[in-house]
Amino acid sequence: MAFLSVIIAAHNAQDTLHSTLESLHAAIDDAGEAIEVIIFNDSSDDTTQDIIDYWLPALPNAQSRFVEYRNVGHVRNSALSLASGEYITMLDSDDQLKPSSLKDGVAFLKAQRPDMLLTRLLEIRDIRKINSSWQGFTPVSLSQSDAIKRFLQHKDFQAHLIGQFIHRNLYESNPIPSIVCYEDFAVFPAMLMQSTKIAYQRQGHYYYIKTRESLSSRLDAGKITMLVECTLQMEKTFPQSYANLINCHWFDIYSNHRQYLTEQQLHLVRSRVSSLYSFSFFLSSEVRFSYKKRVIEALWKK
């Protein structure tokens, strides 16, 4: 049995997967006995499988599966069923890791045994800006309340499973739904609510490479429906004391995506946004000034 399971979902990733797996190999360094790699090739019709076959012998305790789910949620859940690690981390097939970072992550996790080790993703668009500078894991401890606030404020981390180290018990309690997008968002709030020992590492080890194929660049009505459903579930998951911060997420949906909303969804979102026009919202020290300003501007336009 491995201590850390690394799960990768790949679909037509021939342009990026070699660099991703090369970075994974360097990130593992000499911690191979503690790590296993699980790669699912979902319906690829390019040379993705050839790249996987090339790297499998070089990666520790590695296994792969070819499936035809065409559904990243289904892929991740199936991969989780094969994982033996006490901790799970996800790596996208077009992202990269810093050298020795997984080796260092294993050392910290073994020493501290947190429920979650959360990290700030290094979001970049130009891969020429990638560098190998890495000083190891020296995270700070977060209370559950502080972690929830930071998440809701989009401060430090968002609803990503990539780049995060999460105890397998949290995955077992929160199965990833078989949906094609926002599968992370569907489970992340509940994972936070079930965690009491949370560590946060600001110096990132994970390069999240944004491209024109990224989710935020390819939105449509179906994806926004999933976003609305996940936001509703988040609203049910977190206590009422976080309502102002949750409503900022509703305001984002209204501001950025209302062209995709059905009449019923628009009515729902507007009802949440209307509650922002309150003293508690504008006086809240937890709500960022930028949101207060945007809400005032929206009210003025009305």
Side-chain angles (χ1 to χ4, degrees), residues 46-75:
D46 61 1
T47 61
T48 292
Q49 190 60 48
D50 294 335
I51 298 168
I52 294 171
D53 292 341
Y54 173 84
W55 275 102
L56 278 179
L59 296 170
N61 306 307
Q63 56 181 309
S64 74
R65 298 286 188 278
F66 181 88
V67 295
E68 294 187 337
Y69 298 153
R70 293 178 171 83
N71 183 296
V72 67
H74 195 172
V75 168

Side-chain angles (χ1 to χ4, degrees), residues 6 61 118 123-124 131 137 152 181 220 261:
V6 183
N61 306 307
L118 303 176
E123 186 173 312
I124 63 167
N131 70 73
F137 279 97
L152 289 172
C181 62
D220 56 39
L261 299 174

Side-chain angles (χ1 to χ4, degrees), residues 88-258:
I88 312 290
T89 192
M90 304 275 182
L91 172 62
D92 275 353
S93 61
D94 55 357
D95 293 336
Q96 295 186 31
L97 301 170
K98 293 222 173 194
S100 300
S101 56
L102 292 188
K103 171 188 173 182
D104 293 342
V106 165
F108 175 82
L109 293 168
K110 283 186 173 181
Q112 299 298 323
R113 292 295 207 280
D115 297 317
M116 310 173 87
L117 167 56
L118 303 176
T119 71
R120 183 174 67 94
L121 303 183
L122 301 172
E123 186 173 312
I124 63 167
R125 296 183 183 273
D126 184 354
I127 60 173
R128 292 173 297 182
K129 294 182 179 179
I130 289 177
N131 70 73
S132 59
S133 173
W134 171 246
Q135 281 79 51
F137 279 97
T138 54
V140 297
S141 179
L142 298 182
S143 68
Q144 183 191 71
S145 176
D146 192 21
I148 292 171
K149 288 175 186 175
R150 290 184 186 217
F151 163 67
L152 289 172
Q153 292 167 337
H154 280 176
K155 183 179 181 181
D156 302 320
F157 52 88
Q158 300 180 29
H160 292 297
L161 299 176
I162 53 172
Q164 314 303 351
F165 301 88
I166 300 174
H167 198 280
R168 68 176 299 113
N169 290 347
L170 293 171
Y171 277 107
E172 290 170 354
S173 302
N174 303 281
I176 299 173
S178 294
I179 54 180
V180 297
C181 62
Y182 294 112
E183 74 286 351
D184 308 53
F185 189 15
V187 298
F188 197 78
M191 287 179 168
L192 282 176
M193 283 298 295
Q194 294 168 19
S195 299
T196 56
K197 189 174 183 180
I198 302 171
Y200 170 66
Q201 168 84 12
R202 179 158 180 78
Q203 189 217 355
H205 76 294
Y206 188 108
Y207 279 107
Y208 177 36
I209 302 170
K210 296 278 282 186
T211 69
R212 285 178 293 180
E213 296 303 308
S214 297
L215 175 62
S216 58
S217 305
R218 298 178 289 110
L219 293 173
D220 56 39
K223 290 172 182 174
I224 297 306
T225 290
M226 293 311 310
L227 177 60
V228 170
E229 291 299 318
C230 289
T231 307
L232 271 174
Q233 185 59 45
M234 177 175 72
E235 190 178 71
K236 296 173 183 175
T237 300
F238 290 142
Q240 179 64 24
S241 57
Y242 299 101
N244 283 326
L245 291 174
I246 294 169
N247 285 334
C248 289
H249 288 248
W250 288 116
F251 184 75
D252 281 337
I253 293 173
Y254 180 75
S255 300
N256 302 328
H257 308 307
R258 63 178 173 270

Side-chain angles (χ1 to χ4, degrees), residues 2-16:
F3 179 76
L4 174 67
S5 300
V6 183
I7 290 175
I8 303 169
H11 169 71
N12 286 347
Q14 65 179 13
D15 294 336
T16 59

